[in-house]
Amino acid sequence: MLHQRSIGVLNRFFYHKQHFTSTVTKTNSRFPFKFSRFTAPKVLSMATSHSNRLASEQSPYLLQHAHNPVDWYPWGEEAFAEARRRDAPIFLSIGYSTCHWCHVMEVESFEDEGIAKLLNDWFVSIKVDREERPDVDKVYMTYVQALYGGGGWPLTVFLSPDLKPLMGGTYFPPDDKYGRPGFKTILRKVKEAWESKRDMLVKSGTFAIEQLSEALSSSSDSGKLPHGVSDEALRLCSEQLSENYDSEFGGFGSAPKFPRPVEINLMLYNSKKLEDTGKLDGANESQKMVYFTLQCMAKGGVHDHVGGGFHRYSVDECWHVPHFEKMLYDQGQLANVYLDAFSITKDTFYSSISRDILDYLRRDMIGPEGEIFSAEDADSAENEGDTRKKEGAFYIWTNKEVEDLLGEHAALFAEHYYIKQMGNCDLSEMSDPHNEFKGQNVLIERKDPSEMASKYGMSIETYQEILGECRRKLFEVRLRRPKPHLDDKVIVSWNGLAISSFARASKILKGEAEGIKFNFPVVGTEPEEYLRIAGKAASFIRNQLYNAETHRLKHSFRNSPSKAPGFLDDYAFMISGLLDLYEFGGEIHWLLWAIELQETQDSLFLDREGGGYFNNTGEDSSVLLRVKEDHDGAEPSGNSVSAINLIRLASMGSGSKADYYKRNAEHLLAVFEKRLKDTAMAVPLMCCAADMLRVPSRKQVVVVGERTSEEFESMLATAHAIYDPNRTVIHIDPNNKEEIEFWEVNNSNIALMAKNNNAASKVVALVCQNFTCSAPVTDHSSLEALLSQKVCAS
C-alpha cells in the first residue's frame, strides 16, 4: 500500500511543487493540524546528569541536546555503522537552535526517560542542525513534503540503515491526542513495521528517492530560453502576486504572513520595466502594493519597534502578533527592499527602516571579528533563574509596565502603539486564540503620526522625538530581562545576504536629506560605516572559511570551521554580496574574489551538460539527493541568484569570458523553462533574472578618479541613487596599479577609459549602453541627469 501511495503522491508533488516552500509550515506533515498557537509547555532544556556524543559538537542546536537521555549521534559514519551493526532503523531528527517547536518536542519527548529508552532500544538516533547541514535537510524535507503534503521543523524521519526514508512527519506530541497518534505510538508502529514489513518499506523509500532525484535534476539539451518566455513569466508572476494581494493589511497572501522579499523584488522590477515602456498606470499600481506592504510590515508587531529588526512571521493577517525569532536571512533581504523603496520614493520612512535593521545587526548580531551571527530565539525566561521559557517574553509589555516607565508620555505612547490594560492581541481571531498573551501587549502602530502630533499640540518632529525616547527607555529596561538564546553560528550564505545590504546602504543612504534626524533605535550611523562593516564581514569569511589553495568555502563557523563544505547557496549568495561590496565602493580585490568563487562554483556544482547548478557537490555519499533548487522562498534559490550573478559578471567582463557567463546563465534558465511558464509565482527572482538576460544592453556607469576624494564618493553615490536593477557600476582609480592591471586582463575597454579620462583633481563619469558611451561628466548633477534619461526597453 505504501509503495502504491508513494507513486500517487509523488506524481502530485511534481505537479504541485510550486506550493512547497523552504519556510516552516504550520501543519504536522503526517497528521495535518494547525499549531501556530497550539497550547504546549513553553519549556527549554532542564539540567540533567546525562551526556551524549553531541557534547563534542559545535552546533548550538546539537549542544542543546547534548544532555538528553537519548543516545544521540551526529550525522556521520559512526551512526550509520552502528545502524548496520544492529540492523536497526535510524530515527532522524532535524531542527535548528531558534526553532520553537523543536524546543517543545525536546522537552516533551527527548528529555523524557521513558521515550529515550524506546529510542535507545529500538533505533539509532541522529540529530542534525538544518542550518549546518542544509543538504541533509533538503533530502528528507523534500521526501516528507512529497509524501505528506507539507513540512516544517522539527523534521522527524525514520530511515533504513542505508539512509533510505521509510516514513516521516514534523512535530509529534508525546501521547495520543484528539484522535492522532503521539510520538510513543509512532515509535511502536515503526518498530512493528520494520520487523514485519521491512522489504516493502525499504522498497518504497528507494523508489521515492529515485523519483525525487529524477524530478529535481531537470536539464536542458538546447541550452536556450525561447524568446517570449521571460516577458510572459514576469507578467504572469506579477499578475499572480497581484491577485493574492491583501489590500487591507498588505502582503501577498493570507495568515500566517511571512515576509518574502523576493516578491517585493519582482514587483519593483516589473514596475520599473512598465515605467520604462510608458505603462505608468501598471507601474504605479505595482508600486502602491509594495509600499503599502512595506508600511504595514514596518508598523506591525512583526517589526521590533524597541530594538530594531524583524521577527520571522506574523501568525495573523495584520502583521501584528509574530513568531518572535529573528533570522539573519530576513534582515539582509528586508534591509535591501526598504533601500530599494527609498531609492524610488526618496521617502525617509523607508531609509529609516533600513537603518533600523542594520543598526540592530550592528548592535546585537556582529562578533568581534566582524562575523555576523545567524539568529535569535523566540523563547526566553520571564525572570532570571526560571527554567521555563516562554515565547515572546523578551518583547511583550503590560500596560502597567509602560505607565510606570514612561510617566507623562505613557498615554501618548500607549495610544500610538495600541497598548491596552487587558492586552492588545485582539486584532484578529488568529492573533492569540489560546490567550497566551492575555494582559500583554505587542507594539503595533495604528495611528498616523501627523494626526497624533496635532492632537497632542506639538510638531511632528517633537512627537517623533518623544516616541524615540520612550522606545529607548523600554529598550534599557528590556536589556535587564533574560535574553533569548543567540545562535552565534556564522553561515556563509546568510552573511552574503547581509554584506549586500550593508554595502548598498553605504551609498543609497547618501540620498537622505541633509540634517535628517533619527530617533531610537536608529542611531544615525554614517553611511560609510556600513561599507566598513560589509568589508569586515567579508574578510572574516575569507580568513576563516576560505581555503586559498583549493579556492573552496566551508559552510559555517562556530569556534572553528564546520566539517560541512560550502553549498551552492554559500557560493551564490557570497558572490552576490561581493559584487555589491565592489560596486558600492569596495576595493577591486572583492571583485577578483567573486570571480574566483564563481570559477569554483562552476567546477563543483555546474551541470555542464544539462545546465543549472546542483545544491551540493555530490562528493558525500550519505546525501542521497543532488537537486537543482529553483524555489524562491524565505531565501532565494541558489540558481536564481546565480543567474543574476552571471549576468552581472558578464556585464563587467568582455570577450569569451563574458560570453561564457551569459551562456551559462541562459542554459540555467532554460532548465527551468517549464517552471517559468507554469508556476512563475514560485520563482519570482528567477523571473527577474530571465528578463535581465533579455535586456539588449545592460547600462554601465564607469567612475574614474582618485578613490580617497570626496568627489569620488559623491559621484559613486549618484551612480547608485536611482533604482535600476539593470545597471552595473564600475569604479577605477587610474593611479592604482592593481586596478589597472585587473581591468587590462578582464576588460581592456575599462582600462582604456580610465587612462583616457585620468584628469588631475577631477572625478569623471561615463554612462555606456548599446556599445556607446556618453561624453564624460565631472559633476554629480550632470551624472544624475544622464542616469535619469528614459531609455525605452525592448
Side-chain angles (χ1 to χ4, degrees):
M1 284 297 293
L2 184 58
H3 183 71
Q4 290 174 343
R5 182 175 183 233
S6 298
I7 297 172
V9 291
L10 284 167
N11 286 338
R12 290 198 297 277
F13 166 69
F14 304 141
Y15 185 76
H16 295 292
K17 184 165 166 275
Q18 68 268 27
H19 298 301
F20 300 134
T21 71
S22 59
T23 58
V24 181
T25 63
K26 304 299 168 308
T27 57
N28 178 298
S29 304
R30 182 82 166 109
F31 303 99
F33 64 97
K34 292 282 182 182
F35 61 82
S36 57
R37 287 289 173 211
F38 181 78
T39 303
K42 300 297 187 294
V43 188
L44 280 186
S45 300
M46 299 177 186
T48 168
S49 59
H50 296 286
S51 186
N52 56 53
R53 293 168 187 80
L54 302 186
S56 60
E57 293 296 306
Q58 298 280 19
S59 157
Y61 177 62
L62 299 191
L63 290 172
Q64 286 172 356
H65 294 264
H67 301 288
N68 297 162
V70 177
D71 187 17
W72 291 114
Y73 286 78
W75 183 265
E77 182 54 36
E78 183 186 5
F80 311 151
E82 179 65 8
R84 292 192 299 268
R85 185 188 70 78
R86 288 174 49 189
D87 194 26
I90 290 168
F91 166 65
L92 174 64
S93 177
I94 302 179
Y96 55 104
S97 75
T98 58
C99 165
H100 171 71
W101 286 93
C102 302
H103 302 331
V104 173
M105 193 163 177
E106 177 190 12
V107 171
E108 292 178 337
S109 295
F110 304 145
E111 290 183 348
D112 181 275
E113 297 281 352
I115 291 177
K117 186 172 189 324
L118 299 182
L119 285 168
N120 296 341
D121 289 349
W122 298 343
F123 302 92
V124 172
S125 298
I126 298 178
K127 187 54 93 165
V128 167
D129 182 342
R130 68 166 290 259
E131 295 170 357
E132 193 173 60
R133 290 302 303 259
D135 55 337
V136 175
D137 178 64
K138 181 67 183 175
V139 174
Y140 300 107
M141 179 61 75
T142 303
Y143 165 81
V144 167
Q145 287 175 329
L147 261 65
Y148 305 121
W153 298 278
L155 184 64
T156 301
V157 192
F158 296 91
L159 316 179
S160 64
D162 63 351
L163 309 180
K164 301 297 191 303
L166 308 176
M167 56 189 72
T170 56
Y171 162 80
F172 292 102
D175 299 302
D176 300 354
K177 280 184 181 179
Y178 315 118
R180 291 183 294 268
F183 189 50
K184 286 183 275 192
T185 298
I186 295 291
L187 294 179
R188 291 190 180 97
K189 294 287 187 185
V190 174
K191 175 182 180 289
E192 291 168 8
W194 179 250
E195 291 173 348
S196 63
K197 303 175 183 177
R198 178 185 308 197
D199 290 346
M200 185 190 75
L201 287 175
V202 173
K203 194 177 294 184
S204 175
T206 302
F207 172 79
I209 289 295
E210 288 171 354
Q211 293 296 296
L212 290 170
S213 180
E214 184 179 336
L216 298 174
S217 55
S218 305
S219 62
S220 168
D221 294 333
S222 71
K224 298 290 183 184
L225 187 69
H227 283 281
V229 171
S230 57
D231 284 343
E232 182 60 18
L234 197 66
R235 182 197 63 76
L236 180 63
C237 189
S238 178
E239 281 185 5
Q240 290 173 338
L241 288 172
S242 299
E243 288 167 4
N244 285 280
Y245 174 64
D246 181 346
S247 59
E248 185 175 2
F249 298 111
F252 299 95
S254 57
K257 281 189 172 171
F258 291 81
R260 189 183 173 210
V262 289
E263 295 172 339
I264 305 295
N265 295 145
L266 181 286
M267 296 299 281
L268 289 180
Y269 183 97
N270 190 51
S271 73
K272 175 76 165 90
K273 184 173 183 178
L274 292 171
E275 184 181 306
D276 287 348
T277 52
K279 299 171 183 173
L280 299 183
D281 289 345
N284 291 336
E285 194 60 33
S286 291
Q287 288 180 11
K288 281 180 186 176
M289 291 185 227
V290 166
Y291 301 150
F292 186 61
T293 295
L294 293 177
Q295 289 165 19
C296 289
M297 285 167 50
K299 293 175 181 178
V302 74
H303 173 213
D304 179 3
H305 296 274
V306 171
F310 279 78
H311 300 296
R312 183 67 199 92
Y313 62 87
S314 70
V315 301
D316 52 47
E317 70 275 17
C318 42
W319 300 104
H320 182 204
V321 179
H323 174 49
F324 287 90
E325 70 180 316
K326 289 181 174 179
M327 308 300 296
L328 178 58
Y329 57 76
D330 284 325
Q331 315 308 324
Q333 293 179 88
L334 286 169
N336 266 335
V337 294
Y338 279 99
L339 286 169
D340 287 340
F342 172 71
S343 294
I344 299 166
T345 64
K346 305 306 176 190
D347 183 342
T348 52
F349 172 85
Y350 302 109
S351 64
S352 69
I353 299 298
S354 292
R355 285 178 172 273
D356 166 293
I357 297 167
L358 298 176
D359 288 348
Y360 153 66
L361 292 178
R362 184 184 177 206
R363 183 190 67 235
D364 290 348
M365 298 293 285
I366 295 182
E369 295 179 55
E371 69 275 28
I372 309 178
F373 301 138
S374 297
E376 287 190 297
D377 205 343
D379 301 356
S380 58
E382 293 185 274
N383 302 290
E384 286 293 346
D386 287 356
T387 55
R388 292 177 174 267
K389 294 190 176 186
K390 183 176 179 181
E391 179 168 11
F394 186 71
Y395 300 100
I396 54 182
W397 303 90
T398 64
N399 183 67
K400 187 176 187 307
E401 284 176 315
V402 172
E403 287 180 346
D404 292 347
L405 287 170
L406 302 184
E408 64 174 317
H409 297 310
L412 177 154
F413 190 83
E415 186 174 0
H416 184 86
Y417 284 109
Y418 188 59
I419 295 170
K420 299 162 66 178
Q421 181 71 39
M422 301 299 292
N424 73 353
C425 300
D426 56 5
L427 293 177
S428 164
E429 62 181 16
M430 302 183 73
S431 296
D432 189 25
H434 298 287
N435 292 318
E436 293 180 68
F437 297 129
K438 185 177 180 180
Q440 299 287 348
N441 293 272
V442 177
L443 303 189
I444 180 172
E445 295 184 88
R446 303 188 71 216
K447 299 287 186 177
D448 179 79
S450 297
E451 292 178 8
M452 287 286 288
S454 178
K455 174 181 176 177
Y456 282 87
M458 60 183 70
S459 68
I460 184 65
E461 290 79 15
T462 301
Y463 181 77
Q464 295 285 18
E465 285 175 13
I466 290 171
L467 287 178
E469 281 308 305
C470 289
R471 290 191 297 265
R472 186 192 300 277
K473 288 179 181 178
L474 263 62
F475 177 81
E476 289 169 353
V477 168
R478 202 172 80 172
L479 282 179
R480 298 198 288 272
R481 294 176 173 177
K483 291 183 179 179
H485 161 72
L486 169 69
D487 188 327
D488 57 358
K489 182 165 68 268
V490 180
I491 297 174
V492 172
S493 56
W494 298 359
N495 270 250
L497 294 171
I499 287 166
S500 168
S501 60
F502 276 113
R504 296 180 76 243
S506 73
K507 296 299 176 290
I508 292 173
L509 293 178
K510 286 180 179 287
E512 292 173 323
E514 286 189 25
I516 182 175
K517 290 185 177 179
F518 301 103
N519 296 298
F520 193 85
V522 177
V523 297
T525 303
E526 285 297 321
E528 292 88 349
E529 173 66 9
Y530 291 133
L531 188 69
R532 188 194 69 78
I533 292 169
K536 198 170 179 186
S539 293
F540 180 88
I541 302 298
R542 185 174 177 92
N543 294 337
Q544 299 291 346
L545 289 164
Y546 179 68
N547 186 319
E549 293 181 6
T550 64
H551 296 235
R552 288 192 178 199
L553 290 167
K554 287 287 191 179
H555 170 62
S556 62
F557 181 99
R558 187 175 184 272
N559 299 325
S560 63
S562 65
K563 300 169 191 169
F567 303 108
L568 173 62
D569 288 2
D570 295 312
Y571 286 85
F573 295 7
M574 193 64 199
I575 291 165
S576 179
L578 291 171
L579 291 177
D580 284 333
L581 181 52
Y582 166 72
E583 285 199 49
F584 285 80
E587 296 174 346
I588 196 70
H589 64 80
W590 297 125
L591 177 55
L592 180 60
W593 190 29
I595 292 170
E596 289 176 359
L597 286 178
Q598 187 62 58
E599 289 174 359
T600 305
Q601 178 182 317
D602 290 353
S603 70
L604 294 177
F605 306 100
L606 180 63
D607 181 352
R608 296 187 185 275
E609 300 268 325
Y613 293 97
F614 292 104
N615 67 325
N616 62 67
T617 63
E619 295 170 343
D620 185 345
S621 60
S622 72
V623 180
L624 304 185
L625 285 179
R626 196 177 186 217
V627 305
K628 296 178 185 176
E629 182 62 49
D630 59 1
H631 180 76
D632 296 319
E635 302 170 58
S637 78
N639 272 297
S640 295
V641 174
S642 293
I644 295 173
N645 290 344
L646 291 166
I647 292 165
R648 293 175 71 182
L649 286 167
S651 73
M652 293 183 178
S654 63
S656 60
K657 195 66 174 176
D659 292 340
Y660 168 81
Y661 290 138
K662 202 161 185 179
R663 189 166 60 248
N664 281 350
E666 180 161 23
H667 200 173
L668 182 161
L669 292 164
V671 169
F672 303 107
E673 177 188 344
K674 189 174 189 316
R675 189 79 142 139
L676 289 164
K677 285 178 176 178
D678 296 346
T679 54
M681 197 169 78
V683 290
L685 196 65
M686 191 171 286
C687 292
C688 296
D691 190 80
M692 288 179 184
L693 183 73
R694 292 293 176 231
V695 171
S697 178
R698 191 175 173 90
K699 186 180 291 181
Q700 280 186 335
V701 182
V702 182
V703 178
V704 181
E706 186 181 341
R707 181 178 299 281
T708 56
S709 67
E710 287 186 17
E711 292 85 357
F712 188 89
E713 275 289 307
S714 176
M715 201 73 93
L716 202 52
T718 301
H720 289 291
I722 297 171
Y723 173 78
D724 186 353
N726 282 303
R727 174 192 59 222
T728 296
V729 175
I730 292 169
H731 49 88
I732 180 168
D733 184 340
N735 299 314
N736 185 307
K737 184 180 177 184
E738 181 188 6
E739 292 185 29
I740 291 292
E741 288 178 352
F742 172 87
W743 289 111
E744 283 176 342
V745 170
N746 290 278
N747 190 337
S748 58
N749 292 330
I750 301 296
L752 189 60
M753 270 190 241
K755 291 173 182 175
N756 291 342
N757 292 280
N758 186 3
S761 72
K762 281 188 178 180
V763 177
V764 176
L766 304 94
V767 178
C768 305
Q769 196 168 20
N770 297 318
F771 308 103
T772 305
C773 292
S774 67
V777 295
T778 55
D779 62 275
H780 63 85
S781 58
S782 299
L783 176 57
E784 186 177 352
L786 269 178
L787 293 173
S788 299
Q789 291 176 4
K790 299 292 181 188
V791 179
C792 287
S794 63

